Amino acid sequence: MEDNTPIKWAYPFKSSSVSADGASSDTNNPELYFQALAQAKDGFYPMGASGLWHGGVHFDEGTADTLEQSSVRCIADGEVIAYRIDKLYPKTLYSRSAGSGSRGVEKDFSTGFVLIKHKLQPPPPPAPTPTSGTPAAAPATTPTLTFYSLYMHLLDWKGYQASSAPQPP
């Protein structure tokens, strides 16, 4: 990331509505995302389906009617700090009901993630115009804000090998 380059912001998904040429439309309308997230099955922000604090946002089959979710975009320009792609999704065993003694059901889950570091730095302020007899002061330094975005539960490598899969990262 270069210093003083304007940061490019993006929502993580395009709209699922298509234009006349069949392409998904890019949107900068936050209302579209609020409407989609209201349809999420669980994991909404800031309170999850359990009623407890949930610091993340989930996109699932409930949001798929509004958002085109075949790939996710980074929220802003940045630098990849860490990532992991599972070869195959790990599996876990969920019990059907507590104390029932039944074996339960095996489910896939993802440990894949990408951690991005972003740096937001406004351009330097304009240099003051010198007045007669006083030297021009050096321009003040601009503050820098460093923040991170984390993308979790991503596709496993086997999924990228499928014929209809998105391009690997």
Side-chain angles (χ1 to χ4, degrees):
M1 294 180 295
E2 288 187 33
D3 291 350
N4 299 323
T5 302
I7 195 164
K8 296 176 191 155
W9 298 94
Y11 282 98
F13 300 109
K14 294 181 179 183
S15 167
S16 63
S17 61
V18 291
S19 61
D21 64 358
S24 295
S25 60
D26 205 357
T27 182
N28 60 0
N29 180 0
E31 190 64 33
L32 176 78
Y33 282 84
F34 295 138
Q35 291 170 357
L37 291 172
Q39 303 304 314
K41 301 298 180 209
D42 61 7
F44 15 94
Y45 174 84
M47 303 300 282
S50 64
L52 300 175
W53 171 258
H54 187 272
V57 177
H58 285 216
F59 297 96
D60 57 22
E61 64 273 5
T63 60
D65 289 339
T66 307
L67 304 172
E68 197 279 301
Q69 299 175 169
S70 64
S71 62
V72 63
R73 300 182 297 181
C74 189
I75 193 170
D77 293 339
E79 175 184 355
V80 174
I81 299 299
Y83 73 95
R84 175 177 38 231
I85 301 175
D86 296 318
K87 288 182 182 177
L88 288 172
Y89 286 130
K91 298 185 181 300
T92 190
L93 186 65
Y94 285 95
S95 62
R96 292 194 185 266
S97 60
S100 69
S102 64
R103 177 168 160 17
V105 62
E106 205 171 52
K107 294 284 191 176
D108 294 340
F109 66 97
S110 172
T111 63
F113 73 92
V114 178
L115 177 64
I116 309 288
K117 178 181 179 180
H118 310 278
K119 186 169 113 177
L120 180 59
Q121 184 173 21
T129 55
T131 57
S132 61
T134 58
T141 58
T142 57
T144 300
L145 173 65
T146 300
F147 64 99
Y148 297 84
S149 59
L150 178 63
Y151 304 86
M152 299 173 55
H153 314 299
L154 303 176
L155 190 62
D156 66 356
W157 190 248
K158 183 180 178 187
Y160 283 115
Q161 306 308 306
S163 60
S164 62
Q167 186 73 18

